[in-house]
Structure formats: C-alpha cells, structure tokens
Amino acid sequence: MQAAIRIRKALEDQDSGLSAVARAISLEPLLSVKLLRMANSAFFNPTGMEVTDVQRALMRVGVNNARTLAFAVIGDQLATADEFAPVWRLADQLWRHSLDVASLAHAMAVQLENVVPDTALLAGMVHDIGQFYLLSRVHEYPELLEEESELADFILYWDVRVGQAVLRALGTPAVICDAVAAQESCTGNWPPRQLSDILFLANTAAGIANPFSTLSLEELLLRRQDAFASADQDVIHRLLDEARVRRAAALAMLSV
C-alpha cells in the first residue's frame, strides 16, 4: 500500500522528472509489466520496436497514460489487499527479497554492455511473480494455511508454470519471460553473459531469502560461494555496496 501511495504521488507531481517517475513505477511489478505491455502494443508501437525497460516505456506512452494505468492498477491492488491478510508476513518477505534481487541485478547489469540495467531491474522485481499470484489465491484454500510446509510445497510446485502464465498474460517482453524461466541455471562464467545468469547470481547474493526456499543457510552460503568463485572479490563487494544503496533508496522512497 505504501508503494501504491508513493507511485501515485510521483505521477501526480508535475515537477517529477521522467527518471524519478520511472523509478517509482519500477518498484511495483504489476504496474511495470502492464506499462511495458501498453508501450509495446500496436497502438503505441506501430514500428514493432519493442522496449524492455520502464523509462523508455514511459517515454513512449507518456506520463498521462501512465497515470491512468497506475490508478487502475493501484485501485485493483488496494481493492483486493485483504486477500493477502492471512499470509502478509510471507508476502512482505517475498517482496523484500524481490527488491534485493532487483537491486543486485541492476548493479550487475550496469557493469555489462549486453543487458539494459532497467530491464534487469524489472526482471528482478518480477522473477517470483508466480509466487505472489499464488499467495493472493491461498485464502480460497484455508487448509493450506494450517501447515506452512504444505503451503511452501504448493507454492514451489506451481511457481514456474503460474509465473510464466502470469508474465505472458501481461504481455511481458520475451527476454524477461525467458530469463525468469531459466533463472535456476547459470553458466558459471564471470561476468554473466545473459539475463538469466544475472538473475541466478542476484538470487544467490540476496540478503533476504525467499520465504519458500528449501535450502539451509549452509547450502545457501555454499551456493553463493560457488556462483561467484571466478569473480574478483573487489568487484563483488562493489556490486553488493551498489545494491544496498539502491535498495535503501527504494525503501526510503516508500516511506510515507
């Protein structure tokens, strides 16, 4: 709800720069992918040149159209917010994990030439969107709320299929859909060459774990060590510092 309020204020502020509005929109995964879908529609994209980051999508559709879309999305989100009440703690941790992954993905992409940083940021924000969707439907199956391990099994079993269905239904660019589908695999090379590698590494380095992860702390640390084995440690520390700054700025922007 705080994110929704902050996005609305950024869109209503006539003095907000385009990059500031884009940053606010990027913090809300559903609004981000719907804005991309609008920007890549036949009406706004008659030449067929697809955009994959929020700022360029905003430049294409204009702030007024983005404001209309934001009001529609925010209204729908707030109207159904009660659906998350039984699983609010899990939903909040999942959102914060997504923000961590998005911040790290952006920091890595800044170092590369073949991935647009804002595309990596959006991919990080929506990489677990299937889990958010499933959590929003859990209230229809109260028996799942009786045992958290059963809920986790349910979420993990359907996560990939539901996530891909949601992303494609929203018209998310294929480069992001494909990267999210392949995020559990990694070439092991540094620097990462593709968006799926960046998502894998960002997931591995995230300070806040996915609440449905089945890996122990020791397993997570070993996975992180293996994933970054060929990377210069100074580079890793710089990436983590940049990600922390971006995450802190995002959380500060959400404070009311």
Side-chain angles (χ1 to χ4, degrees):
M1 191 174 294
Q2 288 178 333
I5 293 170
R6 189 53 80 178
I7 290 167
R8 188 194 66 197
K9 288 181 178 179
L11 286 167
E12 288 178 336
D13 185 0
Q14 299 298 321
D15 296 325
S16 288
L18 195 65
S19 60
V21 176
R23 285 196 300 271
I25 291 174
S26 295
L27 294 175
E28 217 297 327
L30 184 60
L31 177 57
S32 297
V33 293
K34 287 200 172 187
L35 180 65
L36 282 172
R37 182 181 184 180
M38 177 186 285
N40 290 322
S41 67
F43 182 83
F44 287 101
N45 184 29
T47 63
M49 296 291 291
E50 186 176 67
V51 295
T52 60
D53 65 271
V54 169
Q55 184 160 336
R56 283 190 290 176
L58 186 59
M59 291 172 64
R60 180 176 288 179
V61 307
V63 171
N64 286 336
N65 287 315
R67 180 184 294 112
T68 301
L69 177 64
F71 287 160
V73 173
I74 290 169
D76 183 64
Q77 290 278 310
L78 296 180
T80 59
D82 287 345
E83 296 179 0
F84 279 102
V87 290
W88 183 88
R89 177 183 59 82
L90 293 170
D92 183 64
Q93 184 177 343
L94 183 60
W95 183 84
R96 291 176 182 275
H97 166 74
S98 297
L99 185 57
D100 264 2
V101 172
S103 301
L104 282 159
H106 184 275
M108 290 182 198
V110 167
Q111 310 294 323
L112 308 173
E113 297 180 354
N114 56 338
V115 176
V116 178
D118 281 352
T119 299
L121 178 73
L122 177 57
M125 286 300 297
V126 303
H127 79 284
D128 281 332
I129 199 168
Q131 296 183 23
F132 279 109
Y133 179 83
L134 289 165
L135 277 177
S136 75
R137 304 299 298 273
V138 163
H139 69 285
E140 299 177 9
Y141 307 94
E143 62 273 12
L144 287 173
L145 298 173
E146 297 174 2
E147 182 57 55
E148 195 162 300
S149 62
E150 291 185 8
L151 174 61
D153 289 341
F154 170 77
I155 295 289
L156 293 175
Y157 180 80
W158 290 103
D159 177 26
V160 175
R161 280 171 283 186
V162 169
Q164 285 296 301
V166 171
L167 288 174
R168 296 189 187 282
L170 291 171
T172 309
V175 63
I176 294 178
C177 293
D178 294 343
V180 170
Q183 65 181 304
E184 286 303 314
S185 60
C186 182
T187 62
N189 296 324
W190 184 269
R193 300 295 182 186
Q194 52 195 23
L195 186 54
S196 58
D197 289 346
I198 290 177
L199 284 180
F200 178 89
L201 293 168
N203 250 310
T204 303
I208 298 178
N210 182 303
F212 303 112
S213 173
T214 58
L215 297 175
S216 67
L217 178 59
E218 292 77 12
E219 290 171 325
L220 284 171
L221 292 175
L222 285 174
R223 188 179 187 184
R224 180 182 302 181
Q225 183 178 344
D226 291 341
F228 290 94
S230 61
D232 184 283
Q233 290 304 302
D234 290 337
V235 172
I236 300 305
H237 290 310
R238 185 169 68 250
L239 288 173
L240 291 174
D241 288 342
E242 290 176 6
R244 290 188 190 103
V245 170
R246 170 170 277 279
R247 182 179 185 277
L251 291 176
M253 198 165 76
L254 293 176
S255 63
V256 178

